[in-house]
């Protein structure tokens, strides 16, 4: 039975796509309903997690 694991590279790419999509959604939400500090804080945390995953991939 073949093992179905994703490589770190695939995970990093998926995380990057999620981070960019979250940025688009956060921007649209802020433009439509006004800024929300917690929304942007959550996006920054997601962005830092993505950067950490990408940095781990490059080592």
């Amino acid at each position: 039975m073949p093992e179905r694991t994703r490589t770190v590279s695939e995970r990093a790419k998926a995380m990057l796509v999620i981070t960019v999509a979250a940025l688009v959604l956060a921007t649209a939400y802020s433009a439509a309903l006004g800024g929300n500090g917690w929304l942007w804080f959550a996006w920054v945390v997601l962005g830092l997690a993505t950067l950490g995953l990408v940095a781990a991939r490059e080592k």
Side-chain angles (χ1 to χ4, degrees):
M1 198 165 151
E3 189 176 335
R4 292 185 178 182
T5 59
R6 298 172 100 184
T7 65
V8 174
S9 169
E10 291 171 336
R11 290 179 187 156
K13 288 177 187 176
M15 189 74 160
L16 185 60
V17 169
I18 291 168
T19 302
V20 171
L23 177 61
V24 170
L25 290 173
T27 303
Y29 179 90
S30 293
L33 301 174
N36 182 336
W38 285 110
L39 177 71
W40 289 104
F41 175 76
W43 185 83
V44 168
V45 170
L46 178 62
L48 290 174
T50 302
L51 286 175
L53 187 61
V54 170
R57 178 187 73 162
E58 293 178 359
K59 287 187 176 183

